Structure formats: structure tokens, C-alpha cells
Amino acid sequence: MDGARVIAEALKAQDVEYVFGIVGFPVIEVGMAIQAAGINYIGMRNEQAASYAAGAIGYLTGRPGVCLVVSGPGMLNTISGMANATVNCWPMIVIGGSSDVDQESMGAFQEYPQVESARLCAKYTARASSIGQIPFYIEKAVRMSMYGRPGACYIDISGEMVNKTVPEESIRIMPKVQPPPPMFASPDLVEEAVRLLMSAKKPLIVVGKGAAYARAERNARELVNRYGFPFIPSPMGKGVVEDDHPQCVIAARSRALLQADVIVLLGARLNWILHFGLPPRFNPDVKFIQVDICPEELGNNIGTERLLGVAGDLNSVTKQMLETFKSCSPNWQYPSDTPWWQNLRSKVSANQKASQELSADQSVPMSFYCALDKVQKLIPRDSIIISEGSNTMDIGRTVLLNHSPRHRLDAATFGTMGVGLGFSIAAALLVKDRWPGKRVVCVEGDSAFGFSGMEVETICRYNLPILMIIANNNGIGVGIDAETFREIEVKDRGIDIPATGLMPDARYEKIMEAFGGKGYFVTTPSQLENVLQESQTAYADKPVVINVAVSPQSMRKSQEFGWLTRTESKL
């Protein structure tokens, strides 16, 4: 067996279904061997997008997707994807070809310290020492990527190993890594958490993407439904419990976080998305019940004085909580007529009314609220929604609803722009193979689309039925209008075009048309309605881009608390 076949057989034994990448020296033969082994190889146009797709497969399936890339610059282009997966806690593996061992330190072609470069953003890194050890490294990388807090792993393969052969009987293919074993919490801590929650006057549950990844939706929904707690989802916790559930108070997010006296964190970290758990965004006396797979996360930023930390996997611990509720007080339920509920409902109603008024504005050019409201009303209820961009993503978090877990992917914890097309490709592959009939809807800002727009060719090459909506406001956050742009002399554009400005009225749909997909350009709400309907009837099985002209000055409505928390300088 040559090294390329050993890699392929080791990946197949680990039930790897998809490998994304760009082949070249020294991994061309590895790509061919992967296909010969019956594994799907998806050739991408940029290693960044390939690494994002591999991470998304890990999140959506619970087993790592794999990214195969060439040496030096090719491997370095995957760093953003590895970091994104590790920060988001998603399993993925990068296999990077590298220069031959006997040419190390000689200035070999694309020679670079790849293992060292990967260490900062991966859970595990290794350079295969021999062909016979490759299956060992791959098995360990799969296990490390999945167990504990998931993340990225990197395996380095020197060029001479790809074509070198060894006796087949000398190769030991490692058995498939099984799913992580259940990790239950201390029963005493679970009982203490339940009693604290039952004693709360203003309880709140925060459902994070850790609950989505843990497949804890059944238990999370029972906890909400049976015991009557208000809840808010994190951006990617949306859908674990339906966004339109009557107990969802995301429309009163700021008030709920500020005034709650007991907050349960189900796989949600107290990072920037939750304002670090600190005043002025939170009551200084609030008590946290934090459930997390990673014990080191418990009490991060807030200390342990107001914390009840419960370490364990979300599915197991929420099951324990439900059993403890039933044994402690089987008929207990948080009352639905408390001042806390009345307070939250009044704020939810006021904010929903304000958002509806913004969405009802039929001005031309459209606002983000109007455009996204049309998308929300006309896409299938169980669509897998991928979203990125500045206003596009932020406003989309409130307008675009999710009703199923793991049906929303966005810039997430790391705030990574450029992930949208890679994520969409991963989701669409799974739809074709596992979830026929579902619709992948990718809602992009025009700036976000620009990061990896050439992956439209990949989408068309594999005929992936992705509906892509580009909210085109001619800029990053705030755009520039066409008239102002035309008045600027070419020689002055480096000075006079705003740093946030992009080309006005760019026809991004033409890129899709160039590769055989369907493209639309719309400027009015009625046009958007019409093409959304047509795209899901006449072109439901085709790649589609709808390029939507949005007002360059359209912004999200002012909020009492924004997403970002800034620390005042002490200098």
C-alpha cells in the first residue's frame, strides 16, 4: 500500500463521509485515493472555504469533516477554519501535505513550520513519523476532535510518504471511534440546581449552541414546556426550542438578562455574546447555573461566588434535571401570571411591534427589515438558514426564525466573516444525502459574499440547490449610494470612498449565471416576493442567487444594549 491509500483507508474506517480541499503537490494522489475508497471529495476554490465547510460538517453531524490541502500557503489558508472550529467547539480535521523530510531546512518547495503554526488553533497536532503510523494519528485526531470540548485537529504528511509503499500486512487500520460516552453530573449538584431554579422569582434559561450540538433539544423543550420557564436562545441556539414558542423572550433579551435573578446556561458561555455575565448588562446579584461539557469553563468571567457549576454533557445533565424535578416536586410549574412574566411580555410586545413597523416599510430602496421579512415569510418553515454579514446577520437573528435545532449557522462565537458559502455547501451536501426536501437558504451581506464568492462555481459544479439571498447595501454596515460614487474622481477614490464603501449596484447574480445557475436582481419588495416564489417552484433543485438592492443607509433599530460590550479605557 502507498501512503495515499493508507490515508484514505484510515479515513474510511473512521466513517469520514466528506473531504473538502484543493489538491496539488504533494497531495494529488491522496485526493484520488480518497475517491477510490468511496469517500466524497469536494474540490473547493479556496482553502479557507474548504476548512469552513469541514467545520460545518462537524457541527451538523457530530463527526469531523476533513480538509485536505497542499503545503505552505495552502495549509496556512486553513488556519482561519481551524480557529473557527476550535473557538466554536466543532470537530474537524485538516490534513496538510508538507515538504519531504530529507529537504527540511534546505528551503524546500513551500517549506513552512506547519505543525507549529497549527498548534495555536487546534486541540491536537501531529506530523506522521511513518506510513504505518498514519492510521494511529488519524484515529487519535478523530477522537480528540470529538471528545470533551470538540475542536480542530491537524495532521502533517510529508511529501515522500504519499507515494512510498509498505507491505499491506504491516498496516493496522484503527477501528472507528465511537461517540463520546455520556458524562453525567453529580446528582447533588443537579438537585441543588433544580431547587435554586424553583426558588427563583425571575428565572431565565439561556439555550446555547452547546445544547444544539449535544442533541439536547428533546430535554430542553420538556424543561421549557413542562415547567413554564421563559427562555432566550443564543444566535446558534435558535431552534433548539422553536423561536416562535410563546415562552421565547428573545424580543426582550436585554431586559431579561438585566433583571433575571437566576439564569440557567445550557451550553452557553459567558463571553462577548452574553456580555461576559457582568453588570451593567446583568443584575450584580444574579445567580448562574452553568451547565457545560468543559469544567474549566465554569465560572469564567464571573468567578464562583454567584455560580452553581454543573459539569457534564448537555443531553445527560438535562435528563438528570428533568428526573430531579419529577422526584422533588412532580406537579411544580413556574406560574404564568407573575410580575416577571408580565414585565417580559410587555417588552416582547413593544419590541415586536417596533420590528413589525420597520418590516412594513415598503420604501425603495428597501430596508434590511423589509427584505428579510419577505424572506422569512416565503421560505419553508424548516429551512436550514446560513447567515453572515453585519446588519444582514444581526437583523436576521431577530427576523429569520428557526424551528429545528442545528438549522442555523452564522459567524458565531468567533465572528468569522466569509463562512457562508462553505457552510452552505456542507449543509446542502447533507440535505442531498440525508435530509431530502429541506431547503438551504444562505442570507449574505454583499461584503460577506465577497470573501468566498467564487465558491459559487463549486456550488454549480456539484449542482447544490442552495438559495442565496445577497442583501446588497453597497458596503460594510453602511454603504455608498451610486450618485455619490459617480461624483468621485477615479484618482480620488482611495481618499473619498468611505472605508465601508463597496461598488454600488454590483450585479453579483451574474456570477451565478456565469456558471449555469439562476440569478435575479431585485429592487422592490414586490419583485422580491415574486422571485422568492419562483425560485422555490421553477428552480427548487438549482443553485439560485437573488441580489437584493438594500438602502445603503439602512441600519438595525437602536437597542438598549448592543451585542458588543466595550471596556472603557483607563489611560
Side-chain angles (χ1 to χ4, degrees):
M1 296 177 71
D2 61 23
R5 185 180 160 203
V6 172
I7 293 169
E9 294 298 331
L11 292 174
K12 185 176 181 181
Q14 295 304 325
D15 201 22
V16 170
E17 296 182 74
Y18 302 97
V19 176
F20 305 85
I22 299 178
V23 296
F25 179 82
V27 298
I28 294 175
E29 294 85 353
V30 178
M32 295 176 176
I34 283 168
Q35 291 180 310
I39 300 171
N40 290 294
Y41 173 78
I42 310 300
M44 305 285 280
R45 301 304 300 263
N46 184 284
E47 291 93 353
Q48 274 192 5
S51 63
Y52 295 145
I57 287 287
Y59 172 67
L60 292 169
T61 69
R63 296 194 70 86
V66 173
C67 183
L68 174 69
V69 293
V70 302
S71 51
M75 178 271 165
L76 284 173
N77 281 343
T78 72
I79 291 288
S80 55
M82 281 193 280
N84 187 68
T86 298
V87 172
N88 283 324
C89 310
W90 298 351
M92 71 166 288
I93 295 170
V94 172
I95 297 176
S98 61
S99 51
D100 292 3
V101 169
D102 62 359
Q103 295 179 4
E104 284 186 355
S105 299
M106 295 177 66
F109 175 67
Q110 294 184 333
E111 182 178 1
Y112 196 80
Q114 296 174 190
V115 176
E116 293 89 333
S117 296
R119 282 198 178 113
L120 287 176
C121 56
K123 285 185 68 179
Y124 170 71
T125 60
R127 181 172 168 88
S129 55
S130 68
I131 293 177
Q133 284 293 89
I134 288 174
F136 163 81
Y137 290 120
I138 287 177
E139 187 275 347
K140 186 165 186 177
V142 170
R143 183 161 36 86
M144 292 285 286
S145 74
M146 293 167 57
Y147 282 31
R149 172 176 279 179
C153 294
Y154 175 71
I155 301 173
D156 199 71
I157 305 290
S158 59
E160 81 281 354
M161 284 193 191
V162 172
N163 294 309
K164 185 178 178 181
T165 61
V166 296
E168 187 167 346
E169 61 270 17
S170 71
I171 300 298
R172 181 170 71 98
I173 300 295
M174 303 290 285
K176 175 183 173 181
V177 173
Q178 296 304 309
M183 290 182 60
F184 291 92
S186 162
D188 291 342
L189 286 175
V190 173
E191 182 174 347
E192 186 178 351
V194 167
R195 294 193 181 281
L196 177 58
L197 191 52
M198 290 170 64
S199 69
K201 290 185 171 62
K202 299 178 181 179
L204 180 68
I205 293 177
V206 178
V207 182
K209 74 173 177 289
Y213 180 81
R215 273 67 178 166
E217 55 268 17
R218 179 178 296 181
N219 294 339
R221 290 180 179 192
E222 184 174 353
L223 195 61
V224 168
N225 291 330
R226 182 184 290 267
Y227 299 107
F229 296 116
F231 76 93
I232 62 171
S234 73
M236 281 186 52
K238 286 163 59 68
V240 172
V241 186
E242 309 94 305
D243 281 349
D244 57 0
H245 192 288
Q247 289 160 234
C248 180
V249 295
I250 190 64
R253 178 183 186 272
S254 295
R255 179 173 295 184
L257 294 178
L258 177 62
Q259 297 183 8
D261 61 355
V262 175
I263 296 178
V264 183
L265 302 170
L266 297 181
R269 289 172 281 180
L270 292 173
N271 54 22
W272 67 274
I273 291 177
L274 287 176
H275 315 295
F276 314 111
L278 299 173
R281 308 301 177 90
F282 287 81
N283 178 346
D285 298 320
V286 64
K287 292 181 171 59
F288 289 99
I289 300 168
Q290 187 174 13
V291 183
D292 201 284
I293 189 68
C294 180
E296 293 91 335
E297 185 65 36
L298 302 178
N300 192 37
N301 294 325
I302 59 170
T304 57
E305 183 180 1
R306 295 177 291 112
L307 172 76
L308 179 55
V310 184
D313 75 78
L314 260 294
N315 202 34
S316 298
V317 175
T318 48
K319 181 179 179 181
Q320 287 179 280
M321 291 178 70
L322 290 169
E323 291 171 348
T324 304
F325 263 110
K326 293 169 187 175
S327 62
C328 286
S329 183
N331 298 318
W332 184 89
Q333 188 176 56
Y334 182 70
S336 60
D337 58 353
T338 61
W340 176 231
W341 258 124
Q342 294 168 10
N343 185 4
L344 291 176
R345 287 187 182 118
S346 68
K347 188 63 173 176
V348 166
S349 178
N351 283 347
Q352 286 180 340
K353 182 179 179 182
S355 293
Q356 288 165 2
E357 289 173 353
L358 289 167
S359 299
D361 180 5
Q362 301 293 298
S363 300
V364 176
M366 285 176 275
S367 70
F368 283 100
Y369 283 92
C370 176
L372 294 174
D373 181 65
K374 301 297 183 188
V375 173
Q376 164 60 30
K377 289 176 178 175
L378 291 169
I379 61 174
R381 178 180 169 86
D382 65 344
S383 295
I384 299 174
I385 298 173
I386 289 90
S387 182
E388 63 169 333
S390 177
N391 291 316
T392 306
M393 182 177 66
D394 283 349
I395 296 170
R397 284 171 170 170
T398 61
V399 177
L400 300 176
L401 304 183
N402 291 95
H403 308 91
S404 301
R406 298 170 298 283
H407 277 50
R408 180 185 173 87
L409 296 94
D410 67 20
T413 307
F414 206 35
T416 312
M417 289 294 108
V419 295
L421 276 77
F423 285 2
S424 298
I425 289 168
L429 289 166
L430 290 171
V431 164
K432 288 185 74 171
D433 294 344
R434 298 187 182 188
W435 311 316
K438 280 193 181 292
R439 193 67 159 136
V440 176
V441 180
C442 179
V443 185
E444 299 262 298
D446 51 336
S447 172
F449 175 78
F451 280 82
S452 50
M454 195 50 68
E455 297 302 335
V456 166
E457 187 274 332
T458 308
I459 291 169
C460 290
R461 188 176 357 126
Y462 295 99
N463 194 33
L464 299 176
I466 297 167
L467 171 60
M468 188 179 305
I469 294 106
I470 301 175
N472 184 358
N473 74 331
N474 309 337
I476 305 170
V478 178
I480 181 172
D481 64 85
E483 183 178 354
T484 301
F485 182 83
R486 286 193 296 268
E487 291 174 354
I488 300 173
E489 295 285 344
V490 172
K491 64 182 178 64
D492 297 328
R493 287 182 179 177
I495 300 296
D496 291 340
I497 292 179
T500 61
L502 299 173
M503 175 70 76
D505 303 327
R507 299 298 296 272
Y508 297 110
E509 80 284 357
K510 298 294 186 182
I511 301 175
M512 177 63 83
E513 292 176 350
F515 297 115
K518 180 62 178 176
Y520 298 93
F521 178 64
V522 299
T523 59
T524 69
S526 60
Q527 287 177 342
L528 179 55
E529 287 181 353
N530 292 336
V531 301
L532 279 167
Q533 292 169 342
E534 182 178 314
S535 69
Q536 296 182 81
T537 52
Y539 301 100
D541 59 346
K542 294 286 185 182
V544 176
V545 163
I546 304 175
N547 184 9
V548 185
V550 174
S551 170
Q553 282 73 48
S554 178
M555 298 286 287
R556 66 180 181 146
K557 69 183 180 72
S558 61
Q559 296 181 355
E560 185 179 357
F561 292 140
W563 283 100
L564 285 176
T565 299
R566 304 303 300 269
T567 302
E568 185 179 351
S569 174
K570 304 300 181 184
L571 298 177

